[in-house]
Amino acid sequence: MTATVIDGKAFAAKVRGQVAKGVAKLQEEQGIIPGLAVVLVGEDPASQVYVRSKGKMTAEVGMKSIEHKLDVQTSEADLLALIDQLNNDPAVHGILVQLPLPDHLDSDLVINSIDPAKDVDGFHISNVGLLGTGQKSMVPCTPLGSLMMLRDHHGSLSGMNAVVIGRSNIVGKPMAQLLLGDSCTVTIAHSRTQDLEAVVRQADIVVAAVGRPQMVTGNWIKPGATVIDVGINRIDKPDGGTRLVGDCDYESCAAVAGAITPVPGGVGPMTIACLLANTLTACCRANGLAEPEGLTV
Ligand code: NDP
């Protein structure tokens, strides 16, 4: 079997197109422009790249992009004061604090100081609780993008066996909640799981969010299963330089799976698209307007 490739790049472009339409409608009919504020503390090179690309795509869909770049030495009090200001700014509908934060800052405290209604990353404890109890929330972007691709490919996920490898708060746990919400039978695997291969072999849907290059190989995959590869790992190429790979060994998994997301070009582009979708959703909710369809759960 050769797997269908789930093209996250094309899907993300479609989602951004839907967001841009929603933004244009808001502006035309209500005179409202959604605003996304991104706060970056320090000069971590990877974070700088993410923030630049978020700013560019925010502007491309017609939203207002507000960037706050703070010195690495910024005190917790100053960061909390900025978040308070953004919480109270009616032109800001989404707030994202780029993680990881420097060690002297308490990430949980900082994230939980964001107004939950503006928490477009979906990491605030209130949003975690709302998602866990099946209530309307802001949904973390990477799991949301993964779910959108699964729904698009399968239609209903009801009754499917899903194995999520990884139990982080930002990917694994919310992914498992979303799959449960769609009536999958969900197993969450992690570094202490015994006989991981056998666990994965039961899955109709495998979501790999581990951070270990090419760990999942084709012989772990049930024939015809759908593989969502969240991992982003940089490895050395034999002839010098580096390349990006996922947590799944693409060639061997694609030979057995029914469908698979590539790396790059799978889950990655969906993450930023869903950040924009969440900002539009937050803006509509803040203004008591109907949410655009298909952009959240
Ligand atoms: P974390 O490091 O927070 O979590 C990794 C999880 O994998 C942990 O739960 C850990 O288990 C588990 N794990 C580690 N080793 C093994 C193993 N040998 N067998 C089974 N489970 C294992 O990572 P994140 O969730 O933040 O990210 C995961 C991957 O997804 C990374 O590659 C990251 O770069 C990528 N990512 C991609 C995004 C995108 O936009 N595409 C966005 C966010 C992340 P335990 O809890 O027991 O330690």
Side-chain angles (χ1 to χ4, degrees):
M1 175 179 294
T2 306
T4 301
V5 179
I6 300 178
D7 185 347
K9 210 171 154 190
F11 201 113
K14 196 172 114 189
V15 171
R16 290 198 306 274
Q18 278 173 270
V19 172
K21 256 192 200 155
V23 171
K25 191 164 172 262
L26 262 183
Q27 194 172 1
E28 250 170 60
E29 294 177 5
Q30 311 286 337
I32 299 167
I33 302 176
L36 172 63
V38 176
V39 180
L40 173 64
V41 186
E43 295 185 351
D44 176 65
S47 295
Q48 283 180 324
V49 172
Y50 287 137
V51 167
R52 241 196 325 272
S53 126
K54 282 168 188 169
K56 186 170 160 270
M57 292 200 181
T58 305
E60 275 173 15
V61 295
M63 292 183 185
K64 191 172 170 209
S65 165
I66 305 138
E67 279 179 25
H68 288 272
K69 293 187 177 163
L70 306 183
D71 189 85
V72 69
Q73 306 285 5
T74 299
S75 69
E76 201 160 82
D78 284 350
L79 178 56
L80 293 177
L82 171 61
I83 292 173
D84 188 50
Q85 181 198 315
L86 297 171
N87 283 343
N88 289 301
D89 184 343
V92 172
H93 304 94
I95 303 170
L96 180 151
V97 176
Q98 184 66 45
L99 299 175
L101 286 170
D103 287 346
H104 68 283
L105 300 171
D106 178 344
S107 300
D108 287 340
L109 179 73
V110 169
I111 297 302
N112 289 326
S113 72
I114 297 172
D115 177 349
K118 297 188 179 188
D119 167 40
V120 281
D121 255 342
F123 297 160
H124 190 288
I125 194 70
S126 296
N127 282 315
V128 174
L130 289 168
L131 180 65
T133 49
Q135 299 180 68
K136 194 175 267 196
S137 64
M138 295 307 303
V139 180
C141 304
T142 301
L144 177 58
S146 302
L147 185 78
M148 281 184 185
M149 290 192 286
L150 282 167
R151 283 181 174 177
D152 184 66
H153 184 72
H154 285 285
S156 168
L157 308 181
S158 179
M160 296 176 86
N161 281 332
V163 172
V164 179
I165 321 174
R167 57 175 164 180
S168 72
N169 291 335
I170 63 168
V171 189
K173 284 182 200 154
M175 187 74 239
Q177 296 284 5
L178 289 174
L179 291 165
L180 193 59
D182 271 25
S183 298
C184 291
T185 302
V186 182
T187 303
I188 306 177
H190 46 78
S191 66
R192 310 290 171 87
T193 297
Q194 291 186 13
D195 201 354
L196 181 61
E197 300 183 27
V199 172
V200 172
R201 222 169 274 126
Q202 302 301 313
D204 304 309
I205 293 170
V206 181
V207 180
V210 186
R212 294 190 181 263
Q214 300 165 313
M215 183 185 85
V216 177
T217 49
N219 58 332
W220 297 23
I221 303 296
K222 177 164 126 180
T226 298
V227 177
I228 303 291
D229 191 351
V230 178
I232 301 178
N233 311 286
R234 196 166 279 285
I235 60 165
D236 292 333
K237 288 201 282 195
D239 54 350
T242 60
R243 70 183 178 109
L244 287 184
V245 296
D247 290 337
C248 301
D249 175 56
Y250 186 80
E251 298 302 328
S252 64
C253 289
V256 185
I260 187 166
T261 59
V263 177
V267 176
M270 285 300 285
T271 297
I272 296 188
C274 286
L275 173 69
L276 303 174
N278 276 351
T279 305
L280 178 60
T281 300
C283 181
C284 292
R285 287 181 188 169
N287 289 284
L289 301 167
E291 292 167 26
E293 268 177 41
L295 293 181
T296 191
V297 288

